[in-house]
Amino acid sequence: MHSPDDHYNPPAQTELPVVYVDDAMLVLNKPAGLLTVPGRGEAKQDCLSKRAQDAYPEALIVHRLDRDTSGLVVMARGIVAQRAINLSFEKRLVDKRYEAVVIGLLPISDSWQEIDLPLLVDWPNRPKRTVNYAEGQQALTRWRCIGVDTARGCSRVELEPVTGRTHQLRVHMQALGHPMLGDTLYATPEALALSDRLQLHARTLSIPHPVSGQVVEFSAPVPF
């Protein structure tokens, strides 16, 4: 079976999209279409972590975004900072907010709703994930609708992943019947046709600083 990853055409190398840098950490605004870490094969070695390490050789990965998702990625500068940041992720001290556009009209609300659906690799259709109540890993997403486009029949949603499963936000919104625009894995033909990219962006990230422990917050403008 061929997956969308079989033909990898990363965006051209430009100036490294640094949002913040100090002696302990590096925050980048990853463009859509770029892998966070190297994939299998020579053709998939160009990625955000390699580009970062070309400029900051001691930069180490601590989390990742899907290839087609844009937005904030934090990297550690050195093993001590990496351990501290990894611990913050394990303790769920890192708060990440995403923005997405999905097909269908949802009610705008200030109140958060929850999607609590376990996810499992869809083995016959890798790299897709699927909801699986019997064997899936627990996955929890908070979401709310923050705007609608009645002309196009779309809604803009804010998303907060409480857990960090692969493709979690994409599968959870699909499970609600509202897949993200431009999603080559999970969108309906209608939602896929409405955008030439996955409309999912990691917009804000707050995290305890790996040295001071003080919570620092970063943001990246939504490009769609």
Side-chain angles (χ1 to χ4, degrees):
M1 177 186 169
H2 292 285
S3 80
D5 286 334
D6 289 339
H7 304 286
Y8 178 48
N9 296 301
Q13 172 93 53
T14 57
E15 187 176 347
L16 192 67
V18 176
V19 175
Y20 174 84
V21 61
D22 64 19
D23 290 342
M25 64 191 298
L26 175 66
V27 181
L28 303 167
N29 183 10
K30 187 185 85 68
L34 183 66
L35 290 167
T36 305
V37 297
R40 292 182 182 175
E42 188 62 33
K44 297 178 185 175
Q45 296 309 295
D46 183 18
C47 60
L48 185 72
S49 61
K50 182 183 182 301
R51 294 182 184 186
Q53 288 160 357
D54 286 345
Y56 303 93
E58 73 291 344
L60 297 170
I61 202 77
V62 289
H63 72 120
R64 64 188 69 185
L65 293 178
D66 295 343
R67 182 196 67 186
D68 294 332
T69 304
S70 58
L72 295 170
V73 174
V74 61
M75 296 184 71
R77 297 189 68 186
I79 191 70
V80 174
Q82 185 188 43
R83 288 196 194 103
I85 295 173
N86 279 338
L87 192 59
S88 291
F89 272 95
E90 288 169 16
K91 291 183 174 181
R92 295 185 180 173
L93 301 176
V94 181
D95 183 52
K96 293 183 288 182
R97 298 287 175 90
Y98 291 72
E99 201 164 303
V101 179
V102 302
I103 199 76
L105 298 178
L106 291 161
I108 296 174
S109 176
D110 290 331
S111 300
W112 290 91
Q113 299 187 60
E114 290 189 347
I115 308 169
D116 188 358
L117 295 172
L119 302 179
L120 188 70
V121 176
D122 186 357
W123 287 106
N125 300 299
R126 285 175 293 171
K128 294 177 74 172
R129 266 59 179 173
T130 186
V131 174
N132 186 302
Y133 290 97
E135 301 175 22
Q137 294 179 305
Q138 193 251 345
L140 180 63
T141 299
R142 300 175 71 237
W143 72 277
R144 62 186 176 186
C145 177
I146 57 175
V148 295
D149 181 342
T150 53
R152 293 204 305 160
C154 302
S155 300
R156 187 171 291 270
V157 294
E158 184 176 10
L159 299 152
E160 180 185 8
V162 180
T163 54
R165 307 302 179 197
T166 300
H167 298 178
Q168 176 178 314
L169 302 179
R170 298 159 69 178
V171 179
H172 274 176
M173 291 311 298
Q174 179 208 36
L176 285 190
H178 299 281
M180 296 175 188
L181 303 194
D183 191 337
T184 57
L185 289 178
Y186 302 104
T188 59
E190 180 188 10
L192 186 58
L194 283 172
S195 177
D196 59 2
R197 61 153 289 181
L198 170 65
Q199 296 211 349
L200 176 62
H201 180 75
R203 188 192 68 202
T204 61
L205 183 147
S206 65
I207 184 171
H209 190 277
V211 176
S212 70
Q214 283 194 309
V215 174
V216 287
E217 183 169 313
F218 307 99
S219 63
V222 179
F224 50 79

